[in-house]
Amino acid sequence: MRCEPAISTEAYPDRTLTRMRFLRRVGRDLSRGENLEIYSTALLSLALAVLGALDLVGDKTLAAATLATLALLAGSLLGSRRQLTDLSEQVRSRAAGEVSAADFLAHDKPELLQQVRGAQDIRIVGVTLGRTLRNLIDELRSRLAAGATVKPALIDPHGSTPAEAARRSTMPDRPGVYENRLRSSLDLLRELAETPGAQDRLEIRFLPFVPAFGLVLLDPQRPDGLIHVDIYSHNSATGDAVLTLRPGRDGEWYENFRSEFDRVWESGRVPGPPDEWA
């Protein structure tokens, strides 16, 4: 009696899994609008092959369609080559040190609200922090209630610091503007201080000088932390440049600005009764 060799079915799950992965990749590309020319060329080529095999179209039509398919394929290859050329030029420029400032500087921090939303350690340095506190007040209150620590540092409302901030701005003869901004910021900080549990997690420092730059540090001790650096302009209303640093990518400079926060923080004083804080 001859025994037939058993047919292994172990390969079939692998084939099914491969097909499923391929179909998912195709669906993802189509939903993103990627590689459409490649899929169009493949589909058109398959259609021409079927029509030619079944003799459903004439030779002239088939030849014209084939040329159109080749033109579509050539266009796809040309686009891919152009992308590779652009990428190669960017790599060569970076290797030669020819990096544009636009590659690492921005005009704002558009994702700051979402970034703060997941942070447990929030540290902020600025002049009056007026806009920052207004934009983040709800999220900061929520983070405090969730157990996060918040450490803002801003210029001292007493003494000559507001006048110095005015001299560096577009309103050198109007120190009262900065005093008003500080009053608004202090009101927001008092509101934060009323958050349940904030007494142990909210710390504030008043700086006896105008900081040369602004800082927003989010979980700076963690590997996925980040630091936003606002490079302040002098006597200009054109806006500040923003530099974003991450520990894995910008190691030395990340550590530098993290240490800068510590030095600025140590230079500040804790609010007390003279500030009508208590």
Side-chain angles (χ1 to χ4, degrees), residues 6-18:
I7 299 177
S8 175
T9 59
E10 294 181 357
Y12 288 97
D14 292 339
R15 294 175 184 175
T16 301
L17 183 59
T18 301

Side-chain angles (χ1 to χ4, degrees), residues 107-253:
H107 293 290
D108 205 347
K109 302 180 284 290
E111 299 180 358
L112 181 59
L113 185 63
Q114 291 74 18
Q115 293 165 347
V116 169
R117 188 167 293 159
Q120 286 296 116
D121 182 358
I122 304 167
R123 312 178 191 184
I124 308 172
V125 171
V127 181
T128 65
L129 295 182
R131 184 177 65 173
T132 300
L133 290 175
R134 284 196 307 274
N135 292 342
L136 297 179
I137 184 65
D138 291 335
E139 205 57 53
L140 292 176
R141 189 187 300 111
S142 175
R143 298 313 303 148
L144 280 171
T149 59
V150 179
K151 301 173 69 174
L154 64 164
I155 63 175
D156 198 324
H158 300 288
S160 61
T161 316
E164 176 63 23
R167 284 194 293 271
R168 297 188 182 192
S169 74
T170 57
M171 300 170 289
D173 301 323
R174 298 173 61 189
V177 172
Y178 279 81
E179 294 171 358
N180 289 333
R181 291 177 180 177
L182 283 168
R183 277 193 286 269
S184 297
S185 295
L186 293 179
D187 288 340
L188 291 173
L189 289 174
R190 291 189 185 94
E191 184 179 335
L192 274 182
E194 295 173 357
T195 303
Q199 183 176 1
D200 300 325
R201 295 190 289 270
L202 175 65
E203 300 180 51
I204 300 167
R205 292 294 184 272
F206 288 154
L207 306 176
F209 55 86
V210 180
F213 45 78
L215 292 172
V216 176
L217 297 84
L218 302 176
D219 294 325
Q221 306 289 347
R222 293 173 47 177
D224 59 345
L226 62 84
I227 298 176
H228 293 298
V229 183
D230 286 276
I231 305 173
Y232 291 151
S233 56
H234 180 78
N235 197 20
S236 172
T238 57
D240 305 323
V242 179
L243 173 66
T244 299
L245 302 172
R246 297 184 180 275
R249 182 190 64 192
D250 310 299
E252 177 182 357
W253 288 108

Side-chain angles (χ1 to χ4, degrees), residues 92-115:
R92 283 195 296 268
S93 297
R94 290 181 181 273
E98 300 174 358
V99 181
S100 169
D103 292 335
F104 54 88
L105 292 179
H107 293 290
D108 205 347
K109 302 180 284 290
E111 299 180 358
L112 181 59
L113 185 63
Q114 291 74 18
Q115 293 165 347

